[in-house]
Amino acid sequence: MPKKESKSISADHRPLAERMRPQTIDDIIGQAALLGPNGLVRQMVVSGHLSNLLLWGPPGSGKTTIARALANTVDMEFMPMSAVFSGTADIKKAMEAAKMHRQLGRGTLLFIDEIHRFNKTQQDTLLPYLENGTVVFVGATTENPSFNLNNALLSRCHIGVLTPLSTEDLMELLDRAEKFILEKGKLPLQEPTRIHLCQMADGDARFLLNTVEYLAHTKFKQPLSPEELDAAIQKRAPLSDKSGDEHYNLISAVHKSLRASDTDAALYWTARMMTSGQDPMYLFRRLTRFAMEDIGLADPNAMQLALAAWQIYERMGSPEGDLALTELVIYLGTAPKSTANYRAQGAAYRAAQNSGSLMPPKNILNAPTKMMKNMGYGAGYVYEPNTESGFSGQNCFPESMPRQTFYSPKEIGFEREIKKRVDYWNNLRKKI
């Protein structure tokens, strides 16, 4: 464990998160899937054989900590690098240093933070050194590696997925940080506020430790309540990058929650998108698509309400227009679901691609000239509104094409009424 500070101001001006960084993997809190008995990183240590590794997880989940502790645990030279500030020349320079370490009998763990920011050429520069074992490579990224790293690099690395720390993990870290920075003192927090602080951190250990450091050097007259803590510090911004992996995770969560008719969950994920600065117009576009694709004619009003809510938001903006968005999400979540029209579209398009050169039957073609009439255009056409039942049953498919069924309405919502009509017409057609 790191040496404790005295109560006087430390000469070490590094952030608390850096001063408290665990030295071995046994000191790390959380990430049991990687560090537990059967975890990927733990098994590397137990076997004594380190493999190249990509650590993928949100900010403050421990990527850098795991890499540094791994190097300490197996006694390797730790060589950190940031893809934001480094390029190909820096990589080559680091490899020369690693070769010197190897000649002295010491291995090197090359850690590259934000590895997704390297371009293809920079990523390819690493490959020969990974192949010949000059270094053990550990990369860290907040972005989905399969989206941002090339296949050649991915194929040479194991991927370790980190998750946000749980509230229980953060409570343990809070206790440890309090003892580290204050020895026998206490942070100016009421007991419920301690839990509230860990919930505010939302899985981010760095945010928690930065807040602890701030609170340890403040002079509040009495322990803070949760509401007073909210007023004293800036809340952690919700995790969302607006265009990357988290953006698509959130919209997927909205869509799948609505499809499952889990309206409350859909409201939560929508709120997550809105409070993290996502583009409301993107959200309205996706919700309108949902109304067409997943509800369809089971409730034709869904599409109209989607368009109306969209228009209201464009005219009123936030916060007034937010209520229109909420109303739309509730309506879509509670509406009956049917993809019959979506499936009908796909089936019809496939049929059109397979038989796209067939002519319509002559009975449903107009005959504006005498020649066309003589050729049979319009012959036998029946005007449905003039029939007693309003239905003639005439064939409108190409003459050489068997009749097809693309649209099969479900026995749900408004489609139940549509199905009654379709079944009625089909029965009449059989009698013709």
Side-chain angles (χ1 to χ4, degrees):
M1 290 291 294
K3 183 180 179 181
K4 293 181 179 179
E5 298 181 342
S6 65
K7 292 184 180 180
S8 60
I9 298 177
S10 172
D12 189 346
H13 299 295
R14 293 176 302 161
L16 178 62
E18 182 63 27
R19 301 197 302 273
M20 280 190 61
R21 194 181 296 280
Q23 297 303 302
T24 70
I25 63 171
D26 292 324
D27 298 329
I28 298 175
I29 295 173
Q31 305 306 338
L34 291 177
L35 306 177
N38 297 318
L40 174 63
V41 174
R42 174 69 64 179
Q43 285 301 310
M44 286 185 183
V45 173
V46 171
S47 67
H49 179 73
L50 300 191
S51 301
N52 299 314
L53 181 65
L54 287 170
L55 297 174
W56 170 31
S61 57
K63 298 183 291 296
T64 303
T65 295
I66 289 176
R68 189 180 293 273
L70 183 59
N72 289 338
T73 302
V74 298
D75 193 27
M76 295 182 72
E77 188 76 23
F78 183 72
M79 186 178 295
M81 182 182 297
S82 171
V84 177
F85 304 108
S86 305
T88 302
D90 299 291
I91 296 173
K92 293 180 178 178
K93 185 177 179 180
M95 295 307 167
E96 291 302 317
K99 290 178 182 178
M100 293 180 63
H101 294 148
R102 189 163 64 170
Q103 290 174 359
L104 297 173
R106 185 172 175 79
T108 299
L109 188 151
L110 173 67
F111 174 69
I112 302 182
D113 198 15
E114 306 288 344
I115 183 62
H116 60 275
R117 294 183 180 270
F118 268 172
N119 59 35
K120 184 179 185 302
T121 299
Q122 291 167 325
Q123 292 180 38
D124 288 344
T125 302
L126 293 168
L127 300 181
Y129 302 105
L130 272 58
E131 288 286 347
N132 63 25
T134 301
V135 295
V136 171
F137 165 69
V138 177
T141 177
T142 57
E143 302 287 339
N144 190 325
S146 62
F147 293 162
N148 296 279
L149 300 178
N150 63 48
N151 291 332
L153 184 57
L154 284 173
S155 67
R156 290 165 172 81
C157 299
H158 292 288
I159 297 180
V161 180
L162 287 78
T163 56
L165 296 181
S166 68
T167 300
E168 291 75 17
D169 291 335
L170 292 171
M171 286 293 291
E172 182 181 348
L173 181 60
L174 175 58
D175 291 339
R176 184 183 295 184
E178 189 174 51
K179 294 174 182 177
F180 179 88
I181 197 169
L182 293 176
E183 296 184 354
K184 296 181 180 180
K186 281 286 187 180
L187 292 171
L189 300 174
Q190 297 176 9
E191 193 58 33
T193 312
R194 298 172 69 85
I195 299 175
H196 181 65
L197 172 58
C198 293
Q199 293 172 337
M200 285 177 63
D202 199 18
D204 188 337
R206 188 180 297 110
F207 174 89
L208 177 70
L209 293 175
N210 288 343
T211 305
V212 168
E213 186 169 26
Y214 163 73
L215 292 172
H217 293 89
T218 54
K219 302 294 182 182
F220 294 107
K221 294 181 179 179
Q222 59 186 10
L224 302 177
S225 67
E227 294 75 19
E228 290 169 335
L229 178 64
D230 287 342
I233 65 174
Q234 184 177 6
K235 292 185 178 181
R236 179 181 182 271
L239 177 62
S240 179
D241 54 12
K242 300 186 184 181
S243 60
D245 192 54
E246 281 303 314
H247 165 79
Y248 293 107
N249 285 345
L250 290 177
I251 193 59
S252 178
V254 172
H255 197 121
K256 300 296 174 52
S257 298
L258 288 173
R259 186 177 288 163
S261 296
D262 192 340
T263 307
D264 293 320
L267 286 169
Y268 169 76
W269 294 117
T270 299
R272 281 278 301 272
M273 293 193 72
M274 293 295 287
T275 57
S276 62
Q278 297 282 336
D279 181 7
M281 297 302 104
Y282 172 81
L283 184 54
F284 274 108
R285 183 169 67 85
R286 289 297 299 265
L287 292 176
T288 303
R289 177 178 174 83
F290 180 89
M292 296 184 294
E293 179 179 327
D294 291 273
I295 296 175
L297 291 172
D299 187 347
N301 290 328
M303 184 167 60
Q304 298 304 318
L305 183 61
L307 292 173
W310 193 344
Q311 188 176 50
I312 289 171
Y313 193 92
E314 285 181 325
R315 291 187 176 186
M316 300 187 68
S318 182
E320 293 85 353
D322 294 347
L323 194 57
L325 173 62
T326 299
E327 183 176 327
L328 173 59
V329 170
I330 293 173
Y331 193 96
L332 298 181
T334 55
K337 310 300 189 294
S338 173
T339 58
N341 61 338
Y342 182 72
R343 287 183 278 111
Q345 180 195 41
Y349 273 60
R350 287 191 294 273
Q353 290 174 345
N354 294 332
S355 56
S357 61
L358 298 180
M359 286 288 293
K362 291 182 179 180
N363 63 300
I364 63 171
L365 295 180
N366 290 329
T369 67
K370 183 177 180 180
M371 181 190 76
M372 296 173 75
K373 287 183 179 180
N374 292 336
M375 293 176 64
Y377 281 49
Y381 175 69
V382 180
Y383 184 60
E384 263 81 1
N386 286 343
T387 64
E388 184 176 347
S389 64
F391 179 79
S392 70
Q394 62 189 325
N395 181 51
C396 297
F397 275 94
E399 293 176 359
S400 61
M401 182 179 179
R403 180 164 190 81
Q404 306 289 309
T405 298
F406 300 133
Y407 177 56
S408 299
K410 295 175 66 175
E411 286 273 7
I412 188 170
F414 183 70
E415 278 198 329
R416 182 182 291 112
E417 300 302 318
I418 298 177
K419 189 175 188 304
K420 291 179 182 178
R421 299 177 202 169
V422 172
D423 291 343
Y424 171 70
W425 291 330
N426 284 337
N427 288 331
L428 288 179
R429 191 174 280 114
K430 292 176 182 178
K431 298 176 181 179
I432 296 175

